């Protein structure tokens, strides 16, 4: 009787302390083409009816065209993510073409949801990223045509054309919607603005310097 009572107690304890979790890492269907008209809120985009899917949902044309680099930074990013290709939804991959004028830059930024691998098609690029605190180590290299470089997910990184001619790169990212946080825009161009005295203390400069920078965003 005592052994039976002990067994029942053990079963009761296990029923409270143990939870079984299951996860299916592979897709549960062939595809989930994004339906931008859907009002259903999910982590990503809801699926279009598979019967209404067409070839155009998996297609994008435009990466052969040079981007207009006549801007402050001298660069232009042409994305090919789920916004341009609905069929990328849930597949965890996207592309972008980046064009650079001579000495143009793709300024410091992060992709909160993706690792990036970049391939230089034309020209010479200085690339780099910065590791997390407290080291803040700057890892940088000059790339030539055919070279490949990886920017780990979430880390601040940049590119600069260090040649006298135009440069072109193709970037692949490990998310259909990698997101972009441009450091300068986020810090100095937020809406509403971060208080000037906070930024002045953070960057250890006079408040007038902060105000001057904020006026450019």
């Amino acid at each position: 009787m005592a052994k039976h009572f002990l067994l029942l107690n053990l079963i009761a304890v296990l029923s409270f302390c143990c939870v079984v979790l299951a996860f299916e890492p592979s897709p549960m269907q062939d595809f989930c083409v994004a339906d931008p008209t859907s009002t259903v809120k999910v982590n990503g985009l809801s699926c279009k009816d598979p019967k209404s899917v067409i070839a155009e949902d998996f297609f994008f044309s435009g990466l052969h065209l040079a981007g207009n680099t006549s801007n402050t930074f001298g660069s232009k990013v042409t994305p090919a993510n789920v916004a341009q290709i609905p069929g990328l939804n849930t597949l965890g991959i996207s592309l972008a073409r980046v064009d650079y004028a001579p000495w143009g830059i793709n300024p410091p930024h992060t992709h909160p949801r993706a690792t990036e691998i970049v391939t230089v098609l034309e020209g010479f690029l200085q690339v780099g990223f910065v590791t997390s605190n407290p080291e803040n180590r700057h890892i940088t290299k000059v790339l030539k045509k055919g070279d490949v470089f990886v920017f780990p997910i979430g880390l601040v990184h940049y590119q600069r054309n260090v040649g006298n001619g135009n440069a072109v790169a193709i970037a692949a990212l490990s998310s259909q919607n990698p997101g972009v946080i441009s450091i300068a825009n986020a810090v100095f161009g937020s809406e509403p603005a971060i208080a000037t005295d906070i930024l002045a203390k953070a960057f250890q400069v006079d408040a007038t310097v902060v105000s001057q920078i904020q006026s450019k965003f």
Side-chain angles (χ1 to χ4, degrees), residues 4 9 18-19 21 29 44 57 65 68 70 77 79 85 96 98 113-114 116 119 147 171-172 179 186 190 209 213 216:
H4 181 68
N9 281 343
C18 298
V19 176
L21 299 177
Q29 55 199 37
D57 290 324
L65 301 174
N68 183 2
S70 299
V77 177
I85 309 174
V98 191
R113 295 181 290 276
E116 176 180 352
T119 303
D147 289 347
S190 65
V209 175
I213 297 174
K216 298 180 182 297

Side-chain angles (χ1 to χ4, degrees), residues 49-118:
D49 183 345
K51 295 184 177 62
S52 67
V53 168
I54 59 175
E56 299 302 308
D57 290 324
F58 302 91
F59 173 79
F60 172 76
S61 180
L63 293 189
H64 64 295
L65 301 174
N68 183 2
T69 58
S70 299
N71 53 58
T72 302
F73 301 121
S75 68
K76 173 64 176 179
V77 177
T78 303
N81 56 44
V82 71
Q84 291 77 37
I85 309 174
L88 284 177
N89 193 37
T90 75
L91 297 184
I93 193 170
S94 59
L95 287 174
R97 169 180 173 142
V98 191
D99 289 272
Y100 312 81
W103 298 99
I105 66 167
N106 189 6
H109 62 281
T110 73
H111 300 294
R113 295 181 290 276
T115 290
E116 176 180 352
I117 183 168
V118 64

Side-chain angles (χ1 to χ4, degrees), residues 21-201:
L21 299 177
F23 174 68
E24 173 54 65
S26 301
M28 300 300 291
Q29 55 199 37
D30 289 340
F31 46 74
C32 173
V33 173
D35 181 4
T37 65
S38 175
T39 58
V40 177
K41 302 299 182 183
V42 296
N43 183 21
L45 296 167
S46 58
C47 305
K48 179 190 289 190
D49 183 345
K51 295 184 177 62
S52 67
V53 168
I54 59 175
E56 299 302 308
D57 290 324
F58 302 91
F59 173 79
F60 172 76
S61 180
L63 293 189
H64 64 295
L65 301 174
N68 183 2
T69 58
S70 299
N71 53 58
T72 302
F73 301 121
S75 68
K76 173 64 176 179
V77 177
T78 303
N81 56 44
V82 71
Q84 291 77 37
I85 309 174
L88 284 177
N89 193 37
T90 75
L91 297 184
I93 193 170
S94 59
L95 287 174
R97 169 180 173 142
V98 191
D99 289 272
Y100 312 81
W103 298 99
I105 66 167
N106 189 6
H109 62 281
T110 73
H111 300 294
R113 295 181 290 276
T115 290
E116 176 180 352
I117 183 168
V118 64
T119 303
V120 179
L121 301 184
E122 295 291 341
F124 298 87
L125 292 180
Q126 178 191 2
V127 301
F129 64 85
V130 179
T131 64
S132 56
N133 296 350
E135 289 83 7
N136 298 130
R137 183 180 171 202
H138 181 204
I139 296 175
T140 182
K141 187 172 180 63
V142 173
L143 309 180
K144 63 182 184 301
K145 182 177 179 178
D147 289 347
V148 176
F149 197 82
V150 174
F151 303 115
I153 185 171
L155 297 187
V156 176
H157 60 281
Y158 67 90
Q159 304 104 42
R160 177 174 65 162
N161 182 358
V162 292
N164 294 320
N166 294 331
V168 183
I170 290 289
L173 301 109
S174 62
S175 171
Q176 67 269 12
N177 182 22
V180 181
I181 301 174
S182 298
I183 305 305
N185 295 64
V187 173
F188 295 105
S190 65
E191 292 290 345
I194 299 175
T196 301
D197 61 311
I198 294 176
L199 295 180
K201 180 171 288 189

